[in-house]
Amino acid sequence: MNLSIAVISDLHVGNSARGKDLNPEASNWATDDNYLESFNTFITENKIKADYLAIPGDITNKATQAEFSLATYSILLIAETLA
C-alpha cells in the first residue's frame, strides 16, 4: 500500500498572510489577491494528490478565533483539492 502525504506550513492566516484571502484584517502585508485560488490551480495543473495533509505549524498569526475559522475553511479547501 502506497500512501502520499502533502505538507503545507506557515500559512500565518491573519495580518501576516501572503494572500489577501487569508488576511481578514486586509493589511498591506499581503502580496497575492487570491492565494488559495493560485495554490489550488497549482495543485490541479500538476496533478498533485495526497492521502494525508500535514500542517506542522504557523497556521495563524495571532491565534484569534476569526483566524482559526478562516484557516479551517482554507485548509479544508486545500485538502479537498488534494483528494
Side-chain angles (χ1 to χ4, degrees):
M1 176 181 205
N2 292 326
L3 294 177
S4 59
I5 301 170
V7 179
I8 59 171
S9 67
D10 299 301
L11 291 173
H12 291 280
V13 172
N15 65 357
S16 292
R18 176 179 170 175
K20 292 178 183 175
D21 52 340
L22 298 176
N23 185 349
E25 299 175 21
S27 72
N28 292 331
W29 184 262
T31 57
D32 293 331
D33 287 332
N34 197 334
Y35 183 79
L36 285 175
E37 183 178 318
S38 298
F39 190 74
N40 284 338
T41 298
F42 173 81
I43 291 169
T44 303
E45 286 178 353
N46 290 284
K47 299 178 181 154
I48 299 170
K49 296 292 180 192
D51 298 305
Y52 295 95
L53 176 61
I55 307 153
D58 292 333
I59 295 169
T60 70
N61 189 45
K62 295 181 182 176
T64 67
Q65 182 60 45
E67 289 176 351
F68 274 114
S69 293
L70 181 54
T72 299
Y73 170 78
S74 302
I75 290 166
L76 289 172
L77 282 178
I78 292 168
E80 183 178 301
T81 305
L82 288 166

